[in-house]
């Protein structure tokens, strides 16, 4: 056990790593002295990130470098780091220094003073991000909060501080499609916001292209709400009412001996109903696809190598175990023993 773990998922972040290491180390030292670890997770980077991490871990006993077998995505890379870390208090931060590490002491203080289990960063402003990203993020968080039953905080990312018991609760959730900020909100305990200004990326480009953003948004929506499924019943109800009115009109027109225009009205009905049905099918498909994915119970990620933590090997028994231990919830295999 260490007092503080800082967990950082990294994907093609070679240009940020040196500055990240330095600023995180300073912040951690200011907070807890020597009793900390920095867990860097390489999420299948194609640049020199892994070489840099390995060198860092060799030169600094506080650094643990974890190499995943391929790019598993931000949320799973983060999960790998969280699984491996040994801290009493855990900080999650991005590698690009958009979230200033210097806020760590203030966040730790907020945690102590308010006896909170989670202190989550809320973005007061976001600089250096495109208007499109800001607008979609703004809209997305509001849509999500309307659609879900869990109170997911608005404009909060994964930048946060967690207590060990909150983290253990999070790690007990086995799902594949992970929307970690929502899962943390689901846990409960005392969670307090911490307002800060999001900086520009230190270097490099965003690793969240539109496609990944969409998948992330869909994971969040489907993971936390069944409201889209209920849409079908609302639309169905509306169409039923419409059809009753239409029948009444047709009966009236028939009795009055009036002929109804054929092609136009027919096409209208066929096209509208066809489109609605396809849309609802697609929605259901979205959920079924996710069910299928969860049903496979694969491990969430595969670790190729860990440098800087000699006990990690033992804690990573899950790779060999995943297939054998089918009674294990989520197929994540042996829970790491700390
Ligand atoms: N990231 C990752 N795997 C991915 C994509 C991103 O580990 O497939 C990491 C990335 O290195 C960064 C964090 O997730 O540390 C957030 O990504 P980014 O800063 O590009 O997202 P943005 O801030 O633009 O939303
Ligand atoms: Mg970023």
């Amino acid at each position: 056990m260490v007092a503080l773990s800082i967990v950082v998922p990294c994907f093609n972040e070679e240009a940020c790593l040196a500055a990240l290491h330095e600023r995180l180390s300073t912040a951690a030292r200011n907070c807890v002295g020597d009793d900390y670890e920095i867990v860097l997770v390489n999420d299948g980077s194609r640049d020199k990130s892994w070489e840099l991490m390995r060198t860092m871990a060799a030169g600094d006993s506080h650094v643990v470098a974890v190499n995943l077998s391929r790019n598993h995505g931000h949320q799973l890379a983060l999960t790998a780091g969280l699984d491996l870390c040994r801290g009493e208090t855990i900080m999650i931060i991005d590698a690009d220094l958009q979230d200033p590490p210097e806020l760590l002491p203030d966040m730790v203080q907020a945690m102590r003073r308010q006896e909170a289990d989670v202190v989550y960063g809320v973005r007061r402003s976001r600089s250096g991000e495109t208007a499109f990203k800001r607008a979609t993020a703004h809209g997305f968080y509001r849509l999500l909060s309307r659609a879900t039953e869990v109170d997911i905080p608005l404009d909060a990312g994964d930048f946060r501080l967690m207590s060990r018991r909150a983290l253990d609760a999070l790690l007990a959730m086995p799902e594949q499609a992970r929307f970690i900020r929502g899962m943390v909100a689901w846990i409960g305990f005392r969670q307090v916001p911490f307002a800060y200004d999001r900086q520009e990326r230190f270097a490099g480009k965003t690793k969240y292209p539109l496609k990944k953003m969409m998948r992330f948004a869909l994971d969040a929506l489907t993971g936390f709400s069944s409201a889209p499924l209920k849409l079908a019943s609302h639309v169905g109800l509306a169409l039923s009412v419409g059809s009753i009115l239409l029948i009444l009109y047709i009966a009236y027109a028939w009795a009055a001996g009036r002929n109804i225009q054929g092609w136009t009205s027919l096409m209208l009905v066929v096209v509208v109903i066809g489109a609605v049905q396809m849309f609802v099918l697609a929605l259901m498909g979205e959920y079924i696809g996710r069910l299928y994915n969860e049903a496979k119970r694969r491990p969430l990620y595969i670790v190729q190598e860990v440098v800087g933590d000699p006990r990690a090997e033992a804690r990573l028994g899950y790779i060999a175990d995943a297939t054998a231990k089918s009674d294990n919830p989520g197929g994540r295999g042996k829970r790491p023993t700390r």
Side-chain angles (χ1 to χ4, degrees), residues 211-253:
K211 209 170 122 199
K212 272 192 192 169
M213 256 161 65
M214 301 260 289
R215 166 127 41 96
F216 187 56
L218 272 175
D219 279 349
L221 269 177
T222 53
F224 282 88
S225 169
S226 51
L229 286 176
K230 291 178 198 129
L231 200 69
S233 56
H234 294 300
V235 177
L237 199 69
L239 282 180
S240 308
V241 172
S243 66
I244 291 173
L245 294 178
L246 199 63
I247 288 170
L248 289 177
Y249 174 68
I250 291 169
Y252 159 77

Side-chain angles (χ1 to χ4, degrees), residues 94 96 98 198 201:
D94 284 351
D96 58 2
Q98 279 192 283
R198 198 158 205 232
R201 217 175 205 290

Side-chain angles (χ1 to χ4, degrees), residues 3-9 20 23-25 27-28 31 36-40 78 81-82 85 87-94 99-108 111 117 119 121 158-164 167 194 196:
L4 174 75
S5 292
I6 304 178
V7 178
V8 197
L20 177 79
R23 283 173 63 182
L24 283 183
S25 303
C31 231
Y36 70 94
E37 65 174 357
I38 300 175
V39 181
L40 302 171
L78 184 52
L82 293 174
C85 77
E88 282 294 345
T89 303
I90 299 93
M91 181 196 222
I92 302 177
I93 192 167
D94 284 351
D99 315 310
E102 290 72 27
L103 298 176
L104 177 65
D106 289 343
M107 290 171 84
V108 169
M111 190 175 222
D117 278 278
V119 177
D158 286 324
F159 179 47
R160 61 188 60 222
L161 213 59
M162 294 175 76
S163 67
R164 172 49 66 182
L167 178 65
F194 182 92
Y196 74 105

Side-chain angles (χ1 to χ4, degrees), residues 8 10-15 17 38-58 63-69 84 303-309 316:
V8 197
C10 310
F11 178 52
N12 295 343
E13 303 283 10
E14 58 180 3
L17 282 174
I38 300 175
V39 181
L40 302 171
V41 184
N42 174 39
D43 188 17
S45 299
R46 288 176 205 106
D47 61 3
K48 294 236 158 40
S49 295
W50 176 243
E51 283 73 27
L52 285 173
M53 284 180 191
R54 206 163 39 186
T55 317
M56 270 174 205
V63 176
V64 178
V66 183
N67 196 17
L68 298 186
S69 60
L84 266 173
V303 175
Q304 186 170 327
E305 192 182 352
V306 181
V307 182
D309 182 357
L316 282 171

